[in-house]
C-alpha cells in the first residue's frame, strides 16, 4: 500500500512538472518557428535555430512522456498484427519536422506478426524508435522500417511464419 501511495505521489509530481514546462515550451516552439520561417537558409544563424527547434521539440516529447507516466493506467493487452501498429506509428510521425529531409520506406512482413501487447504502449515504443532514427539522420536520407522474423527467431525454436501456417491458424 505504501508503494502505491509513493507511486501516486511521483505521478502527481511528474504531472505538475510537465504542465509547468509545457507553457514555456509552447512559447519557445511558437516563436522559434516564426523566427525559423522568416530566416533565409543561407543566414549563418539558421542552423542554430534549427538545432534550437529540434531540442525544444525533443523536450516537448519528454514532457509528453512525463504526462503519460503520470496517467499510468492498467495495460490493455490485446492480440494485434504488429505491422498494423507500426504503420499507425509511422502515420503519426511522418509529418513531424524531423522528417523534412527523411523519406520513410516500409518493408512489412507479408504475413501478420501477431502479438499480445498493449497497443498504445507498443505504438509509443515504435514512435520513439522511428523518431530516434530520423534524429540520427541529420543530413536526411531514407529511413527503412522493416518487420518480420529474423534468423535468430528460427534458431531459437520459434515456428516459421509461413503464409500456410497463418492460413491454418485462421480457419
Amino acid at each position: 500500500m505504501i508503494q502505491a501511495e509513493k507511486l501516486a505521489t511521483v505521478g502527481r509530481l511528474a504531472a505538475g512538472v510537465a504542465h509547468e514546462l509545457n507553457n514555456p515550451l509552447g512559447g519557445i516552439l511558437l516563436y522559434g518557428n516564426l523566427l525559423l520561417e522568416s530566416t533565409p537558409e543561407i543566414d549563418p544563424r539558421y542552423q542554430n535555430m534549427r538545432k534550437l527547434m529540434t531540442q525544444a521539440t525533443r523536450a516537448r516529447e519528454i514532457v509528453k512522456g512525463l504526462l503519460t507516466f503520470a496517467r499510468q493506467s492498467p495495460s490493455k493487452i490485446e492480440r494485434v498484427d504488429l505491422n498494423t501498429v507500426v504503420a499507425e506509428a509511422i502515420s503519426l510521425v511522418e509529418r513531424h519536422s524531423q522528417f523534412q529531409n527523411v523519406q520513410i520506406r516500409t518493408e512489412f512482413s507479408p504475413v501478420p506478426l501477431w502479438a499480445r501487447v498493449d497497443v498504445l504502449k507498443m505504438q509509443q515504443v515504435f514512435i520513439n524508435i522511428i523518431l530516434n532514427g530520423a534524429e540520427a539522420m541529420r543530413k536526411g536520407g531514407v529511413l527503412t522500417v522493416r518487420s518480420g522474423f529474423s534468423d535468430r527467431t528460427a534458431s531459437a525454436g520459434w515456428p516459421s511464419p509461413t503464409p500456410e501456417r497463418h492460413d491454418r491458424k485462421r480457419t
Side-chain angles (χ1 to χ4, degrees):
M1 188 64 154
I2 293 173
Q3 187 66 22
E5 288 176 13
K6 285 182 183 178
L7 194 54
T9 301
V10 169
R12 284 191 300 276
L13 177 62
V17 169
H19 284 295
E20 288 297 319
L21 289 174
N22 249 348
N23 290 334
L25 270 176
I28 290 168
L29 287 166
L30 173 71
Y31 290 108
N33 222 6
L34 291 172
L35 280 171
L36 192 61
E37 288 175 358
S38 66
T39 304
E41 287 187 35
I42 58 170
D43 188 313
R45 297 172 294 181
Y46 183 82
Q47 290 305 319
N48 287 336
M49 283 189 247
R50 277 189 52 126
K51 288 177 186 176
L52 177 121
M53 292 302 296
T54 299
Q55 294 306 313
T57 302
R58 186 169 168 251
R60 184 180 60 192
E61 295 302 316
I62 292 168
V63 168
K64 282 184 187 176
L66 281 172
L67 286 170
T68 301
F69 170 77
R71 289 190 295 261
Q72 292 258 335
S73 57
S75 294
K76 181 183 173 194
I77 306 297
E78 53 189 293
R79 185 173 182 259
V80 295
D81 176 10
L82 291 178
N83 290 324
T84 305
V85 179
V86 173
E88 180 65 23
I90 290 170
S91 75
L92 292 172
V93 298
E94 64 189 347
R95 300 215 188 280
H96 193 279
S97 62
Q98 286 181 315
F99 290 95
Q100 186 174 7
N101 297 317
V102 176
Q103 175 190 352
I104 301 175
R105 178 177 38 201
T106 58
E107 296 176 8
F108 291 142
S109 169
V111 296
L113 301 174
W114 297 109
R116 292 183 47 76
V117 298
D118 181 311
V119 174
L120 294 177
K121 289 179 182 174
M122 188 57 67
Q123 200 173 68
Q124 188 61 49
V125 168
F126 290 134
I127 287 170
N128 288 339
I129 291 169
I130 293 164
L131 287 174
N132 286 344
E135 187 176 323
M137 302 173 73
R138 286 189 166 84
K139 293 183 181 178
V142 177
L143 176 66
T144 302
V145 179
R146 183 177 298 130
S147 70
F149 287 89
S150 71
D151 292 338
R152 286 189 273 162
T153 306
S155 67
W158 288 80
S160 173
T162 62
E164 297 82 34
R165 284 187 57 82
H166 171 68
D167 290 341
R168 280 198 311 258
K169 284 184 178 178
R170 211 186 245 174
T171 55

